Amino acid sequence: LRGRLVLATVLAASFAIQMLYSPASLLVLLAAIAAMPWIVVRSVAFRAKSSAFRNVRFGFSSRLSAAYASYARGYLMFLLSAGLAYPSVRWRQLSYVLERLRFGAARVAWRTSSDEFYATYARSALWLLPAIALLVFSRLQRSPVLSGTPVLLTTYGCLFLASVQLRAESANLIYGGVQIGPHRLRSRQRFWPLLFIYLTNTLAVVA
């Protein structure tokens, strides 16, 4: 509760600062990036300590300095690669958290490789090709019919499909790669059933 109150206070203060002094947005962003390792360590530790399965509690042990070192390497990789290393950065962040969890006395291992994350992001990015092709074609033809709203709707649709694909495959990689002692978890989320859930939920909310 104390951590959530601190986070809510920080968010409210940052919003107020940006409203009163817009150039401070960059400083707020830098402060959020700097605080991210502390937020992750504290939140994961709290949730692990508050969770149990069959009266066996979870745990999380990490030094704050190690978290900052791990995240600093990730930020540096992201900047030097102009964002291309994001799948690897995401994999490193997840690996840092998952491999410091424990279930009772058993340590948690994570068997998913960074190559699998790159493949997942590459497959999800394929959904963006129709939007890119339509954008290039509309620029070359300079057709008012293909510009504006059609391109915008196609882009949003492709982004939505890409996010569903990424969410399904990422969940399988994250949870399916977890091993606790001799036991390996499994996750079999699929694109079409997940897309159906998203669409029906959206229709239910709109209706």
Side-chain angles (χ1 to χ4, degrees), residues 118-137:
Y118 270 104
T120 293
Y121 276 84
R123 285 191 294 269
S124 301
L126 293 176
W127 287 105
L128 302 180
L129 293 181
I132 296 174
L134 181 59
L135 179 62
V136 172
F137 184 76

Side-chain angles (χ1 to χ4, degrees), residues 6-33 39:
V6 171
L7 180 60
T9 303
V10 170
L11 291 176
S14 64
F15 179 76
I17 292 173
Q18 293 179 65
M19 290 292 293
L20 296 175
Y21 185 61
S22 56
S25 300
L26 179 59
L27 296 177
V28 172
L29 176 62
L30 293 175
I33 293 174
I39 294 173

Side-chain angles (χ1 to χ4, degrees), residues 35 67 108 111 124 168 173:
V108 174
R111 304 304 183 190
S124 301
L173 292 178

